[in-house]
């Protein structure tokens, strides 16, 4: 996969620029690499992507399993506010692909994400999709 923005694969940074954040998030998600995608998250980050709040190894394993089928994400930022070392991001998204059983999958909706600036200055996901239900097909 070709990346159109610079990404440090060992220490990725979502940055404080909304357009760059979205582009990095899209490219890493669409790479199919769940371990790399998990590096966009703080170690203590919570993701409700699966439908239940996951953190740590459980979150990483979910990302590895889910992205292994190489779904494609499209996302548009609807709003973004930064207050010091915290950013609140609203996103409208569409995910198309196949599920683990090979059935077609189409998911769409809106979500709200929280990013935090970590000690070394990078911006990482702290809370992902804090909504009930996680990824549920429409």
């Amino acid at each position: 996969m070709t990346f159109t923005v610079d990404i440090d694969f060992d220490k990725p940074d979502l940055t404080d620029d909304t357009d760059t954040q979205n582009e990095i998030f899209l490219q890493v998600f669409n790479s199919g690499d769940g371990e790399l995608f998990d590096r966009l998250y703080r170690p203590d980050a919570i993701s409700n992507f699966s439908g239940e709040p996951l953190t740590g190894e459980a979150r990483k394993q979910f990302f590895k399993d889910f992205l292994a089928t190489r779904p494609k994400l499209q996302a548009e930022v609807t709003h973004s506010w930064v207050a010091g070392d915290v950013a609140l991001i609203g996103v409208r998204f569409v995910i198309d692909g196949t599920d683990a059983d090979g059935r077609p999958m189409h998911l769409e909706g809106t979500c709200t994400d929280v990013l935090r600036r970590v000690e070394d200055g990078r911006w990482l996901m702290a809370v992902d999709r804090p909504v009930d239900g996680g990824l549920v097909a429409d």
Side-chain angles (χ1 to χ4, degrees):
M1 165 162 227
T2 303
F3 289 89
T4 60
V5 293
D6 257 348
I7 300 172
D8 179 337
F9 295 110
D10 294 321
K11 295 182 97 176
D13 177 9
L14 287 168
T15 81
D16 60 355
D17 177 80
T18 304
D19 293 332
T20 302
Q21 285 168 3
N22 194 45
E23 188 61 26
I24 290 170
F25 198 84
L26 286 168
Q27 290 184 151
V28 173
F29 183 100
N30 290 334
S31 76
D33 186 335
E35 191 161 337
L36 175 60
F37 187 71
D38 190 65
R39 288 187 213 139
L40 298 177
Y41 291 73
R42 294 170 49 96
D44 62 348
I46 296 170
S47 174
N48 195 37
F49 211 86
S50 69
E52 62 180 299
L54 299 176
T55 191
E57 278 303 312
R59 182 192 64 229
K60 184 190 319 188
Q61 190 59 55
F62 171 78
F63 289 153
K64 288 169 72 173
D65 294 343
F66 184 77
L67 294 181
T69 63
R70 299 191 60 92
K72 293 301 173 204
L73 170 66
Q74 299 174 51
E76 172 190 2
V77 175
T78 58
H79 57 274
S80 174
W81 293 285
V82 177
D85 66 351
V86 177
L88 178 66
I89 313 293
V91 178
R92 188 173 306 119
F93 70 90
V94 175
I95 299 174
D96 286 301
T98 56
D99 66 17
D101 296 321
R103 294 183 302 249
M105 171 183 60
H106 175 80
L107 310 162
E108 61 182 274
T110 57
C111 64
T112 304
D113 300 322
V114 178
L115 281 67
R116 295 274 324 259
R117 187 173 29 222
V118 295
E119 297 76 27
D120 65 7
R122 294 178 301 132
W123 287 85
L124 297 175
M125 191 71 69
V127 181
D128 182 13
R129 294 199 42 75
V131 296
D132 291 333
L135 289 179
V136 178
D138 290 332

